Amino acid sequence: MPLGLDSTVRAMLGGLVLTGALVLPLLAQTEAQAPAETPTSASEPAAPAAEPTEPATSPQTSEATADEPASAESRAADLAEVEASLELSRERIDALKAEIAEMEGDRTRQNAALIAAGQRVKLAEIEVADVEERLSNLIVDELDVRGRLDGADAEIANVLAALERISLNPPPALIVDPTDALGSARGAMLIAAIVPQLRARADAVAADLKALMLIKDQALAEEATLKANYAVLEEEQLRIATLIAARKQGIETAGAALSAEEQAAVDLAERASTLRELIAALSARANQTTSPTAPVDPDLPQLSAEAIALAFANTARTEPAVPFQLAQGYLAQPANGVTVVQFGAGDGFGGISQGQSIVTRADAQVVAPADGWVLYKGPYLNYGQIVILNTGQGYTALLAGLDTISIDIGQFVLMGEPLGTMGSRTIGRTVTTNAGNAQPTLYIELRQNNEPIDPEGWWAENEQTG
């Protein structure tokens, strides 16, 4: 009887050793692919000092930009650079260009396509962030299973070593030496106690191997989803760049007048030492050259949600869809991300934040939070690239910390229209966060009569920030 038990145990242990030997190859096959850290962006990053300042104009000439041969060549070169960075097939690129060329001269359709593309980018970015989080969790699960399997290998090796030592001096069999029955019985009892434990360990190892294979399958599925969303980002990146180039190509020139407005905006930015001074100077200049928008009316009748939604659905509009005070609760979040500093909180530099700071993913798309005219775009102090929108009725919206900007001074932009992209790290000293400078940070500020107001209650409830 003891000899039979010993044979059974050795056979089981041999199987376990073989099972353990299979663990490492399986683990090597199940390493989850970490997502790429360089998602595509709407345009190639450009150094702030090298970026040419765009022409400025008033709302009446908001669609006017330079159409000189050099500008056309620059747009073509930028578009070619975007195409070269993509992995889309030539057939798909040609199909997108043909789709956009069919809209030539139709500003309404171009606006609608831009807003729709911006929304698709935001949704794809949200899905990418979710997939990356799920992949991170799978990596943690994989490491946990690896640890248990490594521990199982050590335990099995110890048991094998103990049994090997016993085999060097085995207890005599009952049939050979009946006088040593007590020793044989003790050996049999020891082996009988070990067998269930070994069987339990074998079941645990099998379960861990099965879990490891499941993690591999899940990781492969998540990788496929990630690739699909990156393909969406690439396609929409090309669509946005081509739409912007096509729209600019169809705009009539304003020549020297635009150059003068451009220089005036740059001069104001160079003289202003604070954002308050800059916004005040830009707003005053805009009011001198155009009819100022109506001031805030405290008795303005409220519109229904359906009426407001219908007004925002009109992509042919050339002025804000509704008075800005009626847009509270309807504004679009400029970018997906995590809010790290709220209005009124410490800004990390000993002051109080006058806006919100959002940590975004690298090269995240930034869209217009509201309808408005571009008062200024470009580098300013230590804020990186900034955009200031005149949203009407004495309200302004400021976005700071961008890496690239694709709109022009004086242009009227629609809520949700792409304005530019973030970089791969924090640009400028806009905020101090636990993330340091490793992640890009977008600073958002709303002002009424040049006084900061809390943006929190202005965002649409269905907006997602990742």
Side-chain angles (χ1 to χ4, degrees), residues 4 22 28 77 115 123 137 155 177 193 197 225 239 253 256 364 391 419 449:
L22 293 174
I115 294 172
L123 293 175
N137 293 335
E155 289 180 8
D177 190 0
Q197 296 180 25
T225 302
R239 188 190 305 274
T253 64
T391 56
L419 301 180
N449 298 325

Side-chain angles (χ1 to χ4, degrees), residues 268-269 271-283 354-355 375-376 378-388 396-401 429-430 443-447 450-452:
L268 289 175
R271 291 197 298 268
S273 59
T274 65
L275 284 173
R276 179 184 294 275
E277 290 183 13
L278 177 60
I279 292 174
L282 291 170
S283 298
Q354 297 182 333
L375 286 177
Y376 181 77
Y380 179 69
L381 298 180
N382 57 2
Y383 287 89
Q385 297 281 329
I386 73 171
V387 175
I388 300 175
T396 54
L398 163 74
L399 305 175
R429 287 170 55 86
T430 56
Y443 177 67
I444 307 166
E445 192 174 283
L446 297 183
R447 289 178 177 246
N450 211 4
E451 293 295 330

Side-chain angles (χ1 to χ4, degrees), residues 83-99:
E83 288 183 27
S85 68
L86 304 181
E87 297 181 0
L88 296 176
S89 66
R90 172 51 56 184
E91 291 77 9
R92 188 54 189 152
I93 291 175
D94 292 342
L96 279 174
K97 285 187 173 182
E99 174 187 329

Side-chain angles (χ1 to χ4, degrees), residues 40 110 184 205 260 282 287:
T40 57
Q110 289 175 342
S184 297
V205 169
L282 291 170
N287 289 336

Side-chain angles (χ1 to χ4, degrees), residues 13-168:
L13 289 175
L16 286 175
V17 171
L18 291 175
T19 302
L22 293 174
V23 170
L24 290 178
L26 286 172
L27 290 176
Q29 296 175 9
T30 55
E31 292 191 3
Q33 294 285 337
E37 291 297 327
T38 55
T40 57
S41 60
S43 60
E44 291 296 321
E51 182 179 351
T53 307
E54 300 293 338
T57 184
S58 61
Q60 279 80 358
T61 59
S62 63
E63 297 301 326
T65 58
D67 194 25
E68 301 172 355
S71 299
E73 292 177 4
S74 176
R75 287 195 299 269
D78 291 343
L79 194 56
E81 190 174 2
V82 171
E83 288 183 27
S85 68
L86 304 181
E87 297 181 0
L88 296 176
S89 66
R90 172 51 56 184
E91 291 77 9
R92 188 54 189 152
I93 291 175
D94 292 342
L96 279 174
K97 285 187 173 182
E99 174 187 329
I100 294 168
E102 197 267 331
M103 304 179 192
E104 183 177 0
D106 193 336
R107 180 179 174 277
T108 299
R109 290 181 62 192
Q110 289 175 342
N111 288 343
L114 266 175
I115 294 172
Q119 183 64 21
R120 286 192 293 270
V121 167
K122 291 182 72 175
L123 293 175
E125 287 177 343
I126 292 172
E127 182 63 21
V128 165
D130 290 342
V131 172
E132 288 176 343
E133 183 178 0
R134 292 197 293 269
L135 280 171
S136 297
N137 293 335
L138 288 174
I139 291 173
V140 172
D141 293 343
E142 178 192 6
L143 292 176
D144 184 52
V145 174
R146 280 175 178 266
R148 290 200 302 270
L149 287 171
D150 290 342
D153 287 345
E155 289 180 8
I156 292 172
N158 290 335
V159 172
L160 285 174
L163 290 177
E164 184 63 24
R165 287 194 296 271
I166 292 174
S167 67
L168 295 177

Side-chain angles (χ1 to χ4, degrees), residues 47 50 52 64 77 79 95 101 141 152 160 174 217-218 222 242 246 249 260 269 362 366 404 416:
L79 194 56
D141 293 343
L160 285 174
L174 288 175
D217 292 340
Q218 291 175 339
E222 295 295 356
T242 308
Q249 188 175 5
V366 180
T404 64

Side-chain angles (χ1 to χ4, degrees), residues 208-291:
D208 282 339
L209 288 172
K210 184 177 180 181
L212 209 56
M213 295 304 296
L214 181 60
I215 290 173
K216 174 186 175 181
D217 292 340
Q218 291 175 339
L220 291 175
E222 295 295 356
E223 181 184 6
T225 302
L226 195 63
K227 287 182 178 179
N229 279 282
Y230 276 136
V232 171
L233 289 175
E234 283 200 340
E235 182 169 318
E236 297 308 324
Q237 170 190 352
L238 178 60
R239 188 190 305 274
I240 289 171
T242 308
L243 278 167
I244 290 173
R247 191 170 63 174
K248 287 182 177 181
Q249 188 175 5
I251 295 174
E252 295 181 355
T253 64
L258 286 178
S259 298
E261 290 292 336
E262 169 192 358
Q263 190 57 49
V266 172
D267 291 342
L268 289 175
E270 290 178 349
R271 291 197 298 268
S273 59
T274 65
L275 284 173
R276 179 184 294 275
E277 290 183 13
L278 177 60
I279 292 174
L282 291 170
S283 298
R285 181 172 180 80
N287 289 336
Q288 289 175 1
T289 57
T290 65
S291 300

